[in-house]
Amino acid sequence: MTALQDKHEKEIKHILAKYPTDEKRSAVMPLLYIAQRKAGYVTKQDMLEIAELLSISTTEVASIVGFYTLYHDKSGGKYRIQVCNDLPCALRGSGQFLEELCENLGVQVGETSSDGILSVEAVMCLAACDKAPMFQVQSHSDISYHENQTVESALQTIEKWRAEETDK
Amino acid sequence: MSKVKGSRILLRHRDIPKLDKLDVYLEDGGFESFKKAVTKMKPDKVTEIVKDSGLRGRGGAGFPTGVKWSFIDANNWPHYVVANADESEPGTFKDREIMEQNPYQFFEGVMLSAYAIQANDAYIYLRGEFWDLAHELDKKIKKLEKSGYLGKKLFGTDYSLNLYTHLGAGAYICGEETALLESMEGKLGQPRLRPPFPPSFGLFGKPTVVNNVETLANVPLIIEKGAKWYRKFGTERSPGTKVFSLSGNVNKPGNYELPLASTFRELIFKHGGGIPDGHAIKAIMAAGASSSLIVANDEALDTPMDYESVQNVGGMLGSASVIVIDETVDISWLVNKTVHFFKHESCGKCTPCREGVFWMSHLTERIDNGSGSREDIVLLQDVANNIQGKCLCALGDFSTQAVVTGIERFPEDFKAKVSPNQAARIKINE
Ligand SMILES: Cc1cc2nc3c(=O)[nH]c(=O)nc-3n(C[C@H](O)[C@H](O)[C@H](O)COP(=O)(O)O)c2cc1C
Ligand code: FES
């Protein structure tokens, strides 16, 4: 049994049950989400274990991590702030929002803050175009939406996380 | 009997409070259609009613839903239903509202299609960003299992059905049905060569129906109230209602469910409250970032939004994600934006798309930042023309729509950008 399986036995069993027994490769995406929970990115060891569990090669697992934008193979901010700056949002001022947010946080788009707590990314449409400006936050364990934002409201939310992290 | 107010078939939660609660949905007549189908109707009868209703796919292509179901290979088992909840086209946010607020009607649609093709397993493929939503749906699926609407031997018959969610992880291409199936099989989300089409070779190589969320959400009421009732909305060839996702330079962006063949003017000015700050409307994209740019003149504004009419003004209805563009917007900036989207999302499998979109993005970037030349515009047009019709899936063609129509219909915006006269350049509000 791999370490991943050891730790999440019940959950993994539940995931595998969703797919035909000879098609367990389908579980690769859900298993990557589980692996990513630990540190916000998928380690080489995780890929090895997932490959073993599903009887596919580690290269195949790695290529999936590379293909999909919500998987990461390097550590980033604990909170990945992903601001939508796609066309419909941009028509409603997301470009300026992103710029001012970065200025206030002292972080450039694509970079992580020096305390490692947050990174800011510009992303494509998140199906919330009528609620621009908006961003989603990918943390280690989940993704949440923050819509109809102003720079002030966004900063407030972000400061709250920062405070929580420094309290820890 | 399910309550329908005006032309709201899908966004009924706006009229019926707490429709996302199972007891409220049941009280409104929910799952009666499914129960009736499983206990009293032959599977083919369900398909026949959907065929008669004229319902067409809401995911973009507008293919007749009942016809698709009837293509399922009856000599190859098991069958699968996969609901396409990838919703990633820029400007599209209707499936999300349906799944968040009227989830049981959507489930019931999935379940009816599963019964129609005698599938015992159905999957909902959601884009990874719908993380919270997927977890909510999981809880609701559990409730349905507990209440006997999902599981083994439903209503004392031999029919069994399981429903599962499957989360993607951020890739627009996974909305393309064969890429979606690859992704579900644990592979890279890259389109398959077709034919064979999913009804003969789909998930795990088995006959599969792939339908959009909105398409499926129509089905319970069609089965309950009949094809003739459904045809009261819309036109002969485009029956029913449609959820229009309205975004961009408009006062009241949002989802509006209207009968097909309502006009752009009605959507943008009556429901959407017109253009902010007294600006004039300049262009419309009717199907998200994949669409051509329609010049927003009176003829276009008075065009009925149905599958046929939108084509007559040089557009496509597609998923009906209407992006409004006002006079302050520089079309060369907009085109740069859409091309960057497609460059980011091209899956890399076929050469014309992978290389072509990359090349286009260099040109649009150069034009947009003011360092382009007139030749760049000609070259851009040429690259776009060489992508069209040569790609494995429609993404390649999608990437060229705004480029080609932008240059053709708004040439002055491009010329102004490459002019040596810097004063002529239009500043945009990015
Ligand atoms: C690049 C690309 C992206 C697509 N994205 C979606 C999508 O996000 N949601 C969707 O329902 N259909 C999408 N489609 C259309 C699907 O391939 C397919 O036609 C649709 O799911 C069929 O369902 P329908 O008949 O109910 O419309 C996309 C197609 C292409 C080529
Ligand atoms: S463009 Fe930003 S959510 Fe759609």
Side-chain angles (χ1 to χ4, degrees):
Chain A
M1 211 153 45
T2 65
L4 196 70
Q5 208 176 3
D6 214 18
K7 204 161 150 213
H8 305 279
E9 193 182 349
K10 218 172 127 198
E11 197 177 353
I12 292 178
K13 218 168 125 187
H14 182 75
I15 288 169
L16 287 170
K18 286 182 170 185
Y19 312 99
T21 39
D22 51 350
E23 303 286 356
K24 59 182 179 182
R25 178 185 182 142
S26 283
V28 65
M29 293 176 75
L31 292 189
L32 283 169
Y33 278 122
I34 293 185
Q36 196 159 274
R37 249 187 248 157
K38 205 169 32 193
Y41 69 103
V42 187
T43 64
K44 286 261 144 40
Q45 180 62 26
D46 294 327
M47 295 188 208
L48 216 89
E49 291 184 17
I50 292 175
E52 191 189 317
L53 220 93
L54 304 179
S55 315
I56 53 180
S57 75
T58 317
T59 320
E60 284 174 300
V61 179
S63 70
I64 288 183
V65 173
F67 187 86
Y68 296 96
T69 57
L70 291 176
Y71 299 128
H72 311 283
D73 57 7
K74 281 190 266 321
S75 72
K78 182 146 190 204
Y79 296 91
R80 293 175 192 261
I81 300 168
Q82 299 165 339
V83 179
C84 175
N85 192 24
D86 212 347
L87 177 62
C89 279
L91 290 170
R92 305 184 71 79
S94 65
Q96 198 183 343
F97 172 80
L98 177 61
E99 202 174 296
E100 288 178 18
L101 187 67
C102 284
E103 229 165 73
N104 274 283
L105 293 171
V107 184
Q108 301 267 317
V109 177
E111 287 184 353
T112 306
S113 61
S114 51
D115 55 11
I117 292 176
L118 44 100
S119 41
V120 180
E121 296 158 34
V123 299
M124 301 300 168
C125 182
L126 296 170
C129 330
D130 56 335
K131 302 187 179 73
M134 65 81 59
F135 59 93
Q136 73 177 1
V137 176
Q138 187 181 14
S139 71
H140 294 182
S141 56
D142 66 2
I143 295 170
S144 61
Y145 274 46
H146 299 263
E147 303 174 314
N148 294 318
Q149 293 291 304
T150 59
V151 176
E152 292 72 41
S153 67
L155 286 172
Q156 240 172 34
T157 315
I158 295 165
E159 284 317 319
K160 220 170 62 209
W161 297 328
R162 259 207 169 124
E164 275 168 22
E165 288 306 318
T166 29
D167 278 358
K168 268 184 195 167
Chain B
M1 285 293 263
S2 308
K3 276 190 288 297
V4 171
K5 206 170 145 191
S7 62
R8 272 213 282 261
I9 300 177
L10 304 157
L11 307 184
R12 294 192 305 130
H13 52 275
R14 295 187 181 183
D15 304 311
I16 306 168
K18 303 211 169 96
L19 194 58
D20 62 333
K21 302 274 177 282
L22 182 56
D23 51 343
V24 176
Y25 185 70
L26 288 172
E27 206 169 294
D28 181 64
F31 293 108
E32 288 300 325
S33 294
F34 181 60
K35 191 170 176 184
K36 180 174 79 177
V38 173
T39 55
K40 300 202 177 88
M41 290 166 71
K42 288 221 165 71
D44 287 350
K45 183 71 190 165
V46 177
T47 302
E48 197 185 301
I49 296 172
V50 173
K51 226 189 226 175
D52 290 344
S53 76
L55 173 64
R56 296 171 64 168
R58 305 301 195 225
F63 192 83
T65 306
V67 176
K68 184 189 279 186
W69 296 2
S70 68
F71 287 161
I72 279 286
D73 183 352
N75 297 314
N76 190 0
W77 295 86
H79 296 169
Y80 293 105
V81 167
V82 178
N84 188 341
D86 193 60
E87 188 155 70
S88 306
E89 178 68 43
T92 315
F93 43 88
K94 63 192 178 66
D95 298 339
R96 187 179 156 212
E97 179 172 345
I98 293 171
M99 290 186 290
E100 280 179 352
Q101 307 204 44
N102 193 5
Y104 289 110
Q105 184 171 329
F106 159 58
F107 284 154
E108 191 175 359
V110 178
M111 290 152 67
L112 281 161
S113 74
Y115 179 74
I117 65 156
Q118 290 292 290
N120 300 119
D121 293 290
Y123 295 90
I124 302 167
Y125 184 101
L126 298 112
R127 61 179 298 176
E129 292 85 352
F130 289 170
W131 176 275
D132 278 340
L133 174 56
H135 288 86
E136 276 307 311
L137 295 185
D138 280 341
K139 283 186 214 155
K140 295 193 158 78
I141 289 172
K142 279 229 169 66
K143 275 203 182 115
L144 289 179
E145 287 167 354
K146 280 209 184 99
S147 325
Y149 291 99
L150 287 171
K152 290 209 164 62
K153 297 201 178 288
L154 296 172
F155 318 114
T157 68
D158 276 338
Y159 183 65
S160 304
L161 177 61
N162 297 307
L163 186 55
Y164 310 99
T165 60
H166 183 102
L167 266 181
Y172 167 71
I173 188 61
C174 291
E176 194 283 330
E177 57 185 17
T178 61
L180 183 154
L181 295 172
E182 288 287 296
S183 175
M184 268 212 64
E185 291 180 3
K187 302 173 190 154
L188 300 187
Q190 294 181 320
R192 295 175 180 168
L193 197 63
R194 280 150 299 158
F197 292 95
S200 46
F201 187 91
L203 183 63
F204 310 130
K206 297 297 177 188
T208 302
V209 154
V210 183
N211 271 129
N212 170 260
V213 170
E214 182 187 353
T215 311
L216 293 164
N218 277 286
V219 176
L221 273 81
I222 291 175
I223 299 302
E224 178 190 302
K225 299 180 194 293
K228 216 170 132 196
W229 168 83
Y230 189 72
R231 284 183 169 280
K232 285 198 307 199
F233 306 97
T235 67
E236 172 67 27
R237 291 175 66 193
S238 299
T241 65
K242 178 82 192 72
V243 182
F244 295 90
S245 293
L246 182 64
S247 69
N249 300 129
V250 61
N251 277 315
K252 290 191 278 176
N255 286 319
Y256 296 94
E257 182 176 1
L258 307 172
L260 278 158
S262 304
T263 64
F264 283 109
R265 194 187 297 282
E266 191 184 337
L267 174 69
I268 297 167
F269 290 92
K270 184 171 157 208
H271 299 285
I275 317 302
D277 306 324
H279 287 302
I281 183 169
K282 178 173 182 172
I284 300 169
M285 298 177 91
S290 300
S291 13
S292 49
L293 283 147
I294 300 173
V295 180
N297 53 24
D298 281 337
E299 187 202 347
L301 288 172
D302 290 321
T303 299
M305 296 182 289
D306 58 56
Y307 294 97
E308 291 73 32
S309 307
V310 179
Q311 277 183 0
N312 295 338
V313 284
M316 280 271 283
L317 184 63
S319 52
S321 320
V322 178
I323 306 175
V324 180
I325 296 134
D326 77 17
E327 59 185 349
T328 64
V329 178
D330 168 4
I331 299 297
S332 77
W333 165 83
L334 180 148
V335 165
N336 187 36
K337 203 90 189 149
T338 62
V339 167
H340 270 82
F341 171 80
F342 291 107
K343 181 187 144 205
H344 187 261
E345 301 298 341
S346 174
C347 79
K349 184 163 174 172
C350 73
T351 319
C353 176
R354 185 184 61 236
E355 301 295 323
V357 177
F358 192 73
W359 199 359
M360 284 203 302
S361 75
H362 278 293
L363 292 163
T364 57
E365 184 67 40
R366 201 148 79 198
I367 294 167
D368 182 45
N369 72 25
S371 58
S373 66
R374 285 190 179 232
E375 286 72 54
D376 285 339
I377 303 176
V378 180
L379 187 59
L380 175 60
Q381 214 159 8
D382 193 48
V383 178
N385 288 333
N386 276 298
I387 295 173
Q388 287 184 340
K390 296 196 178 63
C391 301
L392 196 59
C393 85
L395 190 145
D397 276 2
F398 287 173
S399 75
T400 66
Q401 296 299 319
V403 175
V404 172
T405 54
I407 297 175
E408 184 187 296
R409 297 172 192 170
F410 300 91
E412 59 288 356
D413 285 25
F414 287 84
K415 283 196 195 119
K417 271 295 190 50
V418 298
S419 153
N421 175 8
Q422 294 294 315
R425 276 169 56 192
I426 304 162
K427 192 100 182 82
I428 45 92
N429 53 342
E430 196 185 10

